[in-house]
Amino acid sequence: MKVMSSTHPTAETTAPYGSGASASAPDRHSDYALDKVKKIRTVHLAQAKADGEKFAMLTCYDALTAAVFDAAGIETLLVGDSAGNNVLGHESTLTITVDQMIPLVAAVSSATKRAFVIADMPFGSYQISPAQAVETAVRFMKEGGAHAVKMEASAYYAEHVRAVVNAGIPVVAHIGFTPQAEHALGGFRIQGRGDASAHVVEDAKALVEAGAFCVLLEMTTNDTAAAVNQAIGPVPMVSIGAGSDATGFVLVWQDMMGLREGKMARFVKQYANLHKIFSDAARAYQDDIRSGAYPAPEHSFEV
Ligand code: KIV
């Protein structure tokens, strides 16, 4: 069933929320299935949890890669502050700035038709006050064209999240291992072991209570992840190294495509070996230049 709205020429899903179509329970799942959604929005990610569907998230930092992932059907793209490492060559995510991230967010947003684009708030851009958090989030929406922002947070930052949500900006609350707090946490360590599990669950509950529409949980034990997923009820949880009891799953694209070399975190599954593809192509190009095989007549202009 298509529902027309006065402000939009066509409905975005075959059965939009609040249309009443959900009354017939047997069709509900197929009507709301993610692969039928023309433009992914927060409501679809929540509905995925209700329906037991899973969605994919990949990091993304440029227009061409965004277009590939969007066309492949990846539901959510995260312009992570991991751009600090993966684009700018920094040692950690701590040093990238809002001004450096905004062009990357704008590139991804402009190349995306269906995916939900999330901008990561970099270290120092939201911790100072709720007002600073709103100011930064507004820039990502206005200048970057993002659909939501992500904040590495704990219960302590609930008021910062609430202020951003009250400004009309959806927030993903990133908890568990939070790379911006790498030094305070003593390095890249699994969070939520033993008694610490309760703290992670409390953080999740406080941030959801403050209005976060999604929780992203990084590097915790499976038990802690399951406890968080249960504690936040209908709110979808995205896992990165936090087990399989989640609605969404995220990886850094250069890790899962094998562009980066070296030891990967245990949670990374590699789907391609781009490092080899790139270096083989680079060598073949160099060989062609040395041998004179490139440029060939078909690569030059005779007149
Ligand atoms: O910045 C990033 O890429 C992230 C993901 C690893 C979750 O925060």
Side-chain angles (χ1 to χ4, degrees):
M1 182 178 79
K2 286 228 176 200
V3 174
M4 305 296 280
S5 93
S6 57
T7 48
H8 300 89
T10 55
E12 291 172 357
T13 62
T14 48
Y17 300 91
S19 66
S22 62
S24 51
D27 290 341
R28 184 184 170 89
H29 179 273
S30 57
D31 281 353
Y32 287 24
L34 282 174
D35 58 9
K36 290 196 173 173
V37 175
K38 290 189 185 131
K39 185 157 179 54
I40 303 285
R41 295 187 181 274
T42 56
V43 286
H44 303 121
L45 305 180
Q47 190 63 44
K49 183 167 185 178
D51 289 346
E53 269 201 279
K54 309 275 183 190
F55 64 86
M57 180 185 291
L58 281 174
T59 63
C60 196
Y61 320 101
D62 70 274
L64 290 186
T65 313
V68 172
F69 294 165
D70 189 44
I74 300 296
E75 285 87 4
T76 49
L77 299 181
L78 170 66
V79 190
D81 60 359
S82 51
N85 314 64
N86 299 322
V87 178
L88 303 178
H90 295 183
E91 268 193 15
S92 79
T93 60
L94 287 165
T95 39
I96 193 165
T97 65
V98 175
D99 286 342
Q100 286 171 321
M101 284 202 55
I102 283 187
L104 311 184
V105 176
V108 171
S109 303
S110 67
T112 302
K113 294 193 175 88
R114 175 176 175 269
F116 187 78
V117 177
I118 302 161
D120 212 358
M121 305 258 271
F123 180 61
S125 72
Y126 59 92
Q127 284 92 346
I128 294 168
S129 65
Q132 187 208 21
V134 174
E135 206 171 304
T136 304
V138 165
R139 285 195 66 192
F140 278 119
M141 304 297 279
K142 227 178 173 52
E143 298 171 49
H147 305 141
V149 296
K150 175 168 87 59
M151 292 159 76
E152 293 187 15
S154 61
Y156 180 81
Y157 288 106
E159 291 318 310
H160 301 221
V161 168
R162 197 185 308 281
V164 175
V165 172
N166 284 341
I169 300 171
V171 173
V172 177
H174 181 162
I175 58 168
F177 177 72
T178 46
Q180 291 175 12
E182 162 194 342
H183 300 296
L185 295 173
F188 284 71
R189 290 167 183 274
I190 313 288
Q191 303 295 304
R193 284 204 161 115
D195 292 347
S197 182
H199 289 294
V200 181
V201 173
E202 286 316 310
D203 283 342
K205 282 175 25 186
L207 295 164
V208 164
E209 194 278 322
F213 80 94
C214 179
V215 168
L216 188 150
L217 188 66
E218 179 160 355
M219 275 207 318
T220 68
T221 58
N222 291 344
D223 285 355
T224 297
V228 169
N229 196 31
Q230 210 243 327
I232 59 175
V235 171
M237 186 178 93
V238 174
S239 160
I240 175 162
S244 55
D245 199 353
T247 304
F249 297 87
V250 59
L251 286 174
V252 169
W253 85 257
Q254 289 91 341
D255 294 348
M256 56 79 77
M257 299 276 184
L259 186 56
R260 184 195 319 290
E261 274 202 305
K263 195 170 162 8
M264 292 291 149
R266 179 189 169 94
F267 55 78
V268 175
K269 180 171 175 185
Q270 220 164 295
Y271 290 84
N273 188 348
L274 286 194
H275 191 276
K276 182 167 172 7
I277 292 172
F278 277 33
S279 61
D280 286 354
R283 284 200 191 96
Y285 171 64
Q286 188 188 42
D287 286 350
D288 275 2
I289 288 170
R290 286 181 177 162
S291 70
Y294 177 84
E298 66 266 30
H299 303 123
S300 24
F301 306 97
E302 274 172 22
V303 281

